[in-house]
Amino acid sequence: MDRWFRNIAEYYKVQEVLEQCRVDWRTIQEDYDTSTASGRLKINIMLSVAQDEADRTSERIKAVFETKRQRLEPLTGNTPTGYKLDGKKLVKDPEAEAAVAAFFRKFLACGSISAAQREALEHGKRIEYQLASKMLKSPVYYGHYYGVDGMSPPYISQAEFEKIQGMRHKVTRKSAENRVYIFSGLVLCGDCGFRMGGRKQTRGKTPYYNCPGHYIKRSGCANKTNISEGILEQYLIDTIDERMKAYKIQVEKQKAERGRKDYRTAIASLKAKNKRLMDLYLNELVSLEECKKGCEENNRRIAELENEAKEVEIPDFSAQDKVLGWKWKDAYQELTQEEKREFWMILIDKICVFPDRHIEYTLRW
């Protein structure tokens, strides 16, 4: 029976169908028979016993797993790529450590899985595409495994992991003839929000970008603009220094404002109010509705303050300052197409091109 019905609920679902079709059943080697009252009673008793045994086994397994989590021990012997078991602890695999580190370093630089795969291969490790995609989505590589922080030694930080998840929405796809478009995955249509694809000009060497949504009738996109890669590139070269300078000034202002406002104290005060409301309710000094209303208002304000505090976190400009170093424009002209793509992936989050050929872009942090 435990091979046919995994639990009591499933048994009744199947049995209901059989009864609707007026089908009884009985076993040859065991005394189970649905055509009699005593047979049905025995089935129910045995199912309850089996369910109880399964539940007890589940509780024991969960308790063992919870103990393992508390000890920062993995729950199985299967280890992610780049790790191995040393006793009961996960450690970095010396044979794959350099390749996995290079894989993540390259992807963070350019956003291309194929380029990251090649980098790992140069360090002695072949990583197939599906495995590479899985690795980029796995929190184990910043130390979070089986729902526990610190179970695995990290290859990247949590901030880098979150950055990778954002970059995965801008996957750089291979083009025909392996042409390299330096803004692939970064250019969006300012009208409909579609990603603008790179195209090769029939005449001339400079490729261009246009919106595929314009050719899809249901999208209703009115953006007919074909924007040259050279125009985009020159615009960014001309404006990126001033944009960086302006953003740093804005960050300094936010930093000053943050210094004047103590978010932690305000949040702690609201949480204390929630506790006082609960005490008043337990002592029957306020109604349940009043308690709920007050807590909901306090929780809403807590969420607002937490978002404000997060918004004014000071970005790390080290990667941007490194690529925009002394005489960077001269060095930029010596870069290959792939290196130029990596350069802009470090600096730019997205570029919007509007129907009037107006260009806007946001910086990456």
Side-chain angles (χ1 to χ4, degrees), residues 71-337:
R71 294 174 181 170
L72 300 181
E73 297 175 3
L75 307 190
T76 70
N78 296 326
T79 57
T81 301
Y83 293 97
K84 70 173 187 175
L85 282 175
D86 182 10
K88 294 185 177 181
K89 299 288 185 180
L90 273 179
V91 297
K92 291 183 178 179
D93 183 355
E95 295 182 2
E97 182 177 356
V100 172
F103 169 82
F104 281 104
R105 186 168 58 248
K106 188 67 173 180
F107 186 85
L108 282 163
C110 66
S112 169
I113 289 182
S114 58
Q117 286 176 289
R118 290 195 297 272
E119 189 75 9
L121 188 59
E122 288 180 7
H123 286 77
K125 179 72 174 174
R126 179 181 292 278
I127 301 176
E128 300 298 335
Y129 185 89
Q130 288 199 349
L131 175 59
S133 182
K134 184 179 178 181
M135 288 170 64
L136 292 169
K137 292 185 289 186
S138 176
V140 67
Y141 292 99
Y142 75 81
H144 187 81
Y145 199 34
Y146 290 113
V148 180
D149 287 326
M151 188 177 286
S152 55
Y155 279 94
I156 55 176
S157 66
Q158 185 174 355
E160 287 173 327
F161 175 78
E162 291 170 357
K163 181 179 178 180
I164 286 171
Q165 305 321 299
M167 293 171 72
R168 290 291 285 127
H169 295 294
K170 304 183 181 76
V171 175
T172 304
R173 295 174 175 83
K174 289 184 178 179
S175 61
E177 301 174 9
N178 289 324
R179 290 192 298 273
V180 177
Y181 298 99
I182 62 177
F183 300 114
S184 179
L186 293 177
V187 188
L188 303 179
C189 173
D191 186 71
C192 69
F194 272 35
R195 184 179 292 121
M196 298 180 78
R199 307 283 186 271
K200 182 182 179 182
Q201 288 186 347
T202 306
R203 298 177 181 176
K205 296 180 180 180
T206 305
Y208 65 94
Y209 300 83
N210 62 15
C211 178
H214 173 63
Y215 303 100
I216 303 173
K217 292 182 180 179
R218 65 177 179 273
S219 75
C221 179
N223 195 350
K224 302 178 182 179
T225 301
N226 293 333
I227 189 77
S228 164
E229 187 172 86
I231 291 174
L232 278 176
E233 185 178 23
Q234 193 58 51
Y235 177 74
L236 292 174
I237 290 172
D238 292 342
T239 59
I240 191 74
D241 282 331
E242 287 300 318
R243 183 69 62 87
M244 275 287 299
K245 189 183 297 183
Y247 188 76
K248 286 183 177 180
I249 292 171
Q250 180 186 348
V251 166
E252 287 300 321
K253 288 181 180 178
Q254 288 179 332
K255 184 178 179 181
E257 290 174 5
R258 185 182 185 184
R260 289 194 293 270
K261 190 167 186 177
D262 188 349
Y263 289 94
R264 271 190 271 184
T265 301
I267 290 170
S269 174
L270 289 167
K271 288 181 177 179
K273 284 184 180 180
N274 280 347
K275 188 176 183 303
R276 287 196 295 272
L277 279 170
M278 289 299 298
D279 291 339
L280 290 171
Y281 167 68
L282 292 173
N283 291 316
E284 299 182 351
L285 296 174
V286 297
S287 67
L288 178 60
E289 284 300 317
E290 290 173 323
C291 179
K292 280 185 177 179
K293 185 177 179 181
C295 288
E296 285 173 2
E297 177 61 28
N298 290 337
N299 289 336
R300 183 190 63 77
R301 184 57 185 148
I302 287 170
E304 289 177 357
L305 289 172
E306 287 176 342
N307 286 334
E308 279 184 40
K310 188 175 181 181
E311 286 172 4
V312 298
E313 285 179 0
I314 307 304
D316 179 7
F317 294 106
S318 57
Q320 289 77 9
D321 290 341
K322 186 175 180 180
V323 297
L324 294 177
W326 185 65
K327 292 189 176 180
W328 70 266
K329 293 181 181 179
D330 294 336
Y332 178 83
Q333 302 305 323
E334 304 299 322
L335 300 179
T336 65
Q337 288 292 96

